[in-house]
């Protein structure tokens, strides 16, 4: 995965191909930016402490095929605010525009380092045991930067889905703000594919700057609901009204780890497993999903619940018929409860 150098903003896991291995959803800047069409030759960010004030100054640059050199991306007036030596070196905008990034930095080049970025899509990385297979998410996921990422079975069909919180407004003066997203639901097919759902169908229309997001069954009906934070604006609560209800599971862990963080849960219908789900204490963008997950399966029951506990032990027990919620202890004892 070291080949994928992106402006990653968040990461979370989910079992999108139903093989029991955690795949990755990695949020990125998307393809609706000026950087995307320059991706064949990675854009660069030069940086260094040019005035010895213990802070870095920055110079963005892109590769110009005609000159075969990296050229400055930002205007002279903006660059010279933080690097006055640039204004002293170039008396006109024309002279500055004709100069390469290395010429602009001049003798400061020896104090400079640079980083490059070659991958902007928000991406699903499928876990192939000894490697990851990259699959960019559909075009609707690339129209704006994505931050919060939530994995849950939002429609209750036994296949993991994704929600993305989108948009970014505090841009550079010469750059339009990234506001083409409104939060996006993507439904999984259980084979590593994800399909975007239009907002008029999903009911998700968040036009602010989406940031952190988390899933929980906050009304106790066996469906994953959603909370979405916005930068500088109110948190949005989205109640799930139409999904097929699933089984709420509470794990009873050790005194040192009462919520059994790190455990992996899975429903079985006969010899057919459902997607694996982990108990996590954080994910996405500064967020945490409920530690009492809703488990689903693409086939009807009866079910068995398998738990791989944080210490590596495994238990498996039959789910009581008609149970809407259960508690499970580390010995595999399972007891029905009201969700």
């Amino acid at each position: 995965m070291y080949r994928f150098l992106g402006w990653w903003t968040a990461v979370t896991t989910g079992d999108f191909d139903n093989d029991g291995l955690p795949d990755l959803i990695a949020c990125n800047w998307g393809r609706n930016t000026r950087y995307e069409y320059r991706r064949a030759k990675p854009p660069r960010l030069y940086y260094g402490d040019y005035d010895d004030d213990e802070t870095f100054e920055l110079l963005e640059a892109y590769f110009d095929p005609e000159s075969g050199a990296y050229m400055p991306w930002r205007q002279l007036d903006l660059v010279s605010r933080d690097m006055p030596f640039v204004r002293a070196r170039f008396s006109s905008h024309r002279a500055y525009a004709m100069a390469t990034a290395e010429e602009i930095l001049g003798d400061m080049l020896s104090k400079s380092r640079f980083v490059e970025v070659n991958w902007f899509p928000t991406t699903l990385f499928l876990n192939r045991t000894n490697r990851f297979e990259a699959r960019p998410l559909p075009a609707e996921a690339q129209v704006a930067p994505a931050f919060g990422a939530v994995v849950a079975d939002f429609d209750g069909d036994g296949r993991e889905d994704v929600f993305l919180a989108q948009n970014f407004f505090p841009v550079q003066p010469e750059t339009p703000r990234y506001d083409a997203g409104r939060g996006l639901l993507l439904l999984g097919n259980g084979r590593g594919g994800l399909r975007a759902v239009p907002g008029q169908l999903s009911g998700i229309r968040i036009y602010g700057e989406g940031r952190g997001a988390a899933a929980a069954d906050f009304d106790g009906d066996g469906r994953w609901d959603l909370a979405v934070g916005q930068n500088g604006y109110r948190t949005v609560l989205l109640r799930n009204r139409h999904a097929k209800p699933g089984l709420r599971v509470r794990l009873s862990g050790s005194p040192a780890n009462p919520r059994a963080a790190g455990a992996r849960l899975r429903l079985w219908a006969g010899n057919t497993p459902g997607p694996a789900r982990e108990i996590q204490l954080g994910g996405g963008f500064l967020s945490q999903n409920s530690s009492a997950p809703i488990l689903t399966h693409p086939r009807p029951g009866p079910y068995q619940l398998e738990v791989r506990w944080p210490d590596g032990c495994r238990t498996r027990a039959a789910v009581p018929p008609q149970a809407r919620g259960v508690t499970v202890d580390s010995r595999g004892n399972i007891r029905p409860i009201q969700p």
Side-chain angles (χ1 to χ4, degrees):
M1 288 180 59
Y2 60 88
R3 296 182 292 111
F4 299 97
L5 306 175
W7 287 337
W8 306 109
T9 58
V11 65
T12 193
T13 64
D15 182 9
F16 293 99
D17 52 4
N18 206 37
D19 63 357
L21 299 174
D23 307 307
L24 302 177
I25 290 288
C27 295
N28 207 343
W29 221 244
R31 286 177 160 163
N32 189 23
T33 76
R34 65 179 181 177
Y35 304 102
E36 172 64 20
Y37 74 97
R38 299 283 187 180
R39 187 165 59 89
K41 188 74 173 179
R44 285 183 178 179
L45 180 66
Y46 291 88
Y47 65 96
D49 182 9
Y50 303 131
D51 53 6
D52 298 318
D53 64 351
E54 298 184 352
T55 61
F56 286 136
E57 286 74 49
L58 309 175
L59 180 67
E60 288 185 80
Y62 67 92
F63 183 78
D64 177 37
E66 294 186 6
S67 64
Y70 277 88
M71 309 297 289
W73 217 321
R74 304 192 67 189
Q75 299 173 5
L76 173 61
D77 290 344
L78 299 173
V79 170
S80 60
R81 290 177 186 175
D82 293 327
M83 295 185 285
F85 66 87
V86 175
R87 171 65 76 175
R89 186 171 295 145
F90 297 94
S91 57
S92 69
H93 288 272
R94 177 179 176 82
Y96 171 83
M98 298 296 291
T100 68
E102 293 186 355
E103 290 171 340
I104 290 170
L105 292 172
D107 55 0
M108 296 295 180
L109 188 62
S110 61
K111 302 176 67 173
S112 298
R113 302 179 69 182
F114 68 82
V115 291
E116 296 180 336
V117 57
N118 63 10
W119 191 260
F120 295 100
T122 294
T123 304
L124 165 64
F125 291 96
L126 290 172
N127 189 338
R128 301 308 190 199
T129 305
N130 61 348
R131 63 183 179 87
F132 282 89
E133 174 189 325
R135 293 188 181 182
L137 296 188
E140 294 89 340
Q142 313 300 344
V143 298
F147 288 85
V150 179
V151 174
D153 182 7
F154 288 109
D155 60 357
D157 67 350
R159 302 170 180 91
E160 295 286 59
D161 310 315
V162 180
F163 168 79
L164 299 177
Q166 298 173 298
N167 293 339
F168 185 80
F169 296 169
V171 295
Q172 302 158 347
E174 72 273 27
T175 303
R177 71 183 195 175
Y178 301 112
D179 59 4
R182 53 181 182 177
L184 182 66
L185 174 65
L186 300 110
L187 298 182
N189 63 8
R191 301 184 301 276
L194 289 161
R195 172 178 59 87
V197 180
Q200 62 267 31
L201 298 180
S202 70
I204 299 173
R205 293 182 292 271
I206 303 171
Y207 293 95
E209 288 186 273
R211 288 294 182 269
D217 179 13
F218 62 71
D219 58 356
D221 65 355
R223 301 178 178 94
W224 283 109
D225 304 305
L226 192 61
V228 185
Q230 300 183 83
N231 185 27
Y233 198 50
R234 60 184 174 85
T235 297
V236 177
L237 296 179
L238 296 167
R239 184 182 180 188
N240 189 338
R241 293 182 179 272
H242 301 293
K244 178 182 177 182
L247 178 73
R248 176 185 278 188
V249 179
R250 294 185 184 275
L251 297 184
S252 179
S254 66
N257 185 7
R259 288 180 286 182
R264 190 175 299 172
L265 299 81
R266 210 172 189 190
L267 281 182
W268 288 74
N271 294 323
T272 303
R277 171 162 286 277
E278 295 179 320
I279 303 297
Q280 302 172 340
L281 295 184
F285 186 88
L286 301 177
S287 302
Q288 179 177 324
N289 295 327
S290 170
S291 59
I294 305 297
L295 299 188
T296 54
H297 198 286
R299 295 187 178 182
Y303 300 122
Q304 290 187 321
L305 175 61
E306 179 185 74
V307 182
R308 192 202 68 178
W309 295 85
D311 62 3
C313 293
R314 292 178 183 267
T315 62
R316 190 163 167 176
V319 176
Q322 308 303 319
R324 296 177 59 198
V326 296
T327 60
V328 186
D329 64 26
S330 58
R331 291 172 296 196
N333 297 318
I334 188 167
R335 179 171 59 88
I337 60 169
Q338 289 300 316

